[in-house]
Amino acid sequence: MKLRFVSSRSTRGVLSALAFALGFAGTSSAAVTWQDIQFGGFASQGYLLSSANDYLGETSDGTFDFREYALNASWAKGKFRIGAQAFGQKLGQYGEDRIKLDWATIDYQPAQWLGFRAGRVKMPRGLYNEALDLDSVRPFVLLPQSVYDARLRDFNAAFNGAMIFGNISLRQAGSVDYRLFYGDIPMSTSSGASDYFNNDQPFPNTSIGMDAVYGGSVFWNTPATGLRVGYSYSTFENFGVDRIAYYGGMTIPLQKLTSNHHRHLLSAEYTYGDWIFAAEAGWENAHSVILMAGQPSGSVADFDSDYYYVSVARRVHARVELGAYVSHSHDATVLIPAQAGLSLPPLSQTDYAVSAKFDLNEHLIFKLEGHYLDGSGKLFDTPAHPQPFVQRDNSWTMVAAKMTLSF
């Protein structure tokens, strides 16, 4: 595997930004408070290089198109709390360094067991979905992609709507954290979610959206010190995409796909001294109707996906934390009746990862991670970025590095 650098203005800009971060970190303070408003944020720059295939960007040539940055602010008084975060990212062809409103909420919690939240709300899914930006609390450059696919942040991170939440004491039996939500997720055809739902299809999406998203999570903080287990559920109601085809220079409507998409996720985490063990397993399914242009009825597509990961992390030094995980996913789509050229083979991928995190000082961390990947089922093959299944390498490696400044 060759490490290839391209001398360019963008690469020099990245290196300059890292140099600035190193200098700034030595004098920066943590969150800043002004008029009872607390400000914080982070900026990270990474590098990805794979021995084959393009995953999370043009990784087979090595890419610096792997960065995130945000600024957040929050204010609290009594039973009320208001907060928001502006966020930008570049992950391969996604993000394009556009600044957007990542989340913005107002909370009212009259009691420990009952609270209300509204606005652009973080999605309660699994152990870590509401803490995607807390880079300093885990050694991994990439969370297990079978559950926390970095390309689907627009789809998974937050929704526009409302939530009911709380913590219910069970006395000697521990306590339960619950969240129930309802809302909507605006999406774009340039997003990773659009490519995910257009994977291995010969025609691009022209629109993508849903009527609503709803669900919740429940986590039991068991009486065993350090152990919590939970379940998360969500449904995307009337989720749909429109696709088109191009023939002889003409744009022709081809098909409309709609479904109710259901997701389930079981989670467990155990902290013991300097050790953290975690495991999550999920499955999702959708029964979709495909209507072809000009046809009164269509065919059916059954989509099923199952996935899991097991991870372990341990702090071995005041400034060093190590981690490892195995992450697996398997997707299958069956068209009834089968349509020539549109049927998909089962898509599987197993990722074996080892990581190291170095706390350079209070605000600056560096991470280095190696991956061995068996299978290529999580690669995207789209009209804009073709990567046909039969041309993929199914035994490959990837190296990821990341520097993060938190303030």
Side-chain angles (χ1 to χ4, degrees), residues 351-372:
D351 183 358
Y352 304 88
V354 292
S355 307
K357 176 171 74 76
F358 304 92
D359 300 320
L360 303 182
N361 59 36
E362 184 181 357
H363 311 291
L364 191 66
I365 61 175
F366 174 72
K367 297 181 180 182
L368 185 63
E369 187 168 277
H371 295 256
Y372 170 72

Side-chain angles (χ1 to χ4, degrees), residues 63-233:
T63 180
F64 282 106
D65 286 340
F66 177 39
R67 54 185 170 270
E68 298 174 334
Y69 36 89
L71 179 65
N72 55 66
S74 62
W75 172 86
K77 186 172 184 179
K79 300 174 182 179
F80 290 91
R81 184 179 185 277
I82 299 173
Q85 176 168 283
F87 174 82
Q89 73 169 159
K90 176 70 171 172
L91 180 66
Q93 64 264 37
Y94 307 118
E96 295 298 331
D97 288 316
R98 292 189 297 267
I99 306 297
K100 64 180 183 180
L101 186 64
D102 193 31
W103 56 265
T105 58
I106 179 169
D107 286 24
Y108 173 63
Q109 190 170 10
Q112 177 179 309
W113 64 272
L114 180 64
F116 305 92
R117 181 173 298 150
R120 180 156 180 81
V121 184
K122 292 183 179 181
M123 178 80 73
R125 181 172 185 256
L127 294 169
Y128 308 122
N129 203 64
E130 293 175 280
L132 292 175
D133 299 330
L134 299 181
D135 219 22
S136 61
V137 302
R138 53 181 175 263
F140 307 116
V141 176
L142 297 168
L143 282 167
Q145 296 295 284
S146 59
V147 176
Y148 303 101
D149 193 325
R151 299 164 298 183
L152 303 184
R153 184 185 175 105
D154 285 350
F155 190 59
N156 287 328
F159 64 94
N160 298 339
M163 174 189 292
I164 300 174
F165 66 94
N167 173 270
I168 301 172
S169 174
L170 302 178
R171 298 184 180 180
Q172 288 81 9
S175 66
V176 169
D177 294 309
Y178 75 90
R179 287 163 170 75
L180 301 171
F181 68 91
Y182 183 91
D184 179 38
I185 303 177
M187 287 182 292
S188 164
T189 54
S190 63
S191 67
S194 183
D195 281 352
Y196 177 79
F197 290 103
N198 193 35
N199 196 12
D200 286 282
Q201 296 293 326
F203 312 114
N205 293 335
T206 58
S207 68
I208 182 171
M210 67 186 74
D211 287 349
V213 59
Y214 56 86
S217 69
V218 57
F219 272 81
W220 178 30
N221 305 303
T222 74
T225 302
L227 176 63
R228 60 176 179 143
V229 296
Y231 167 70
S232 308
Y233 170 79

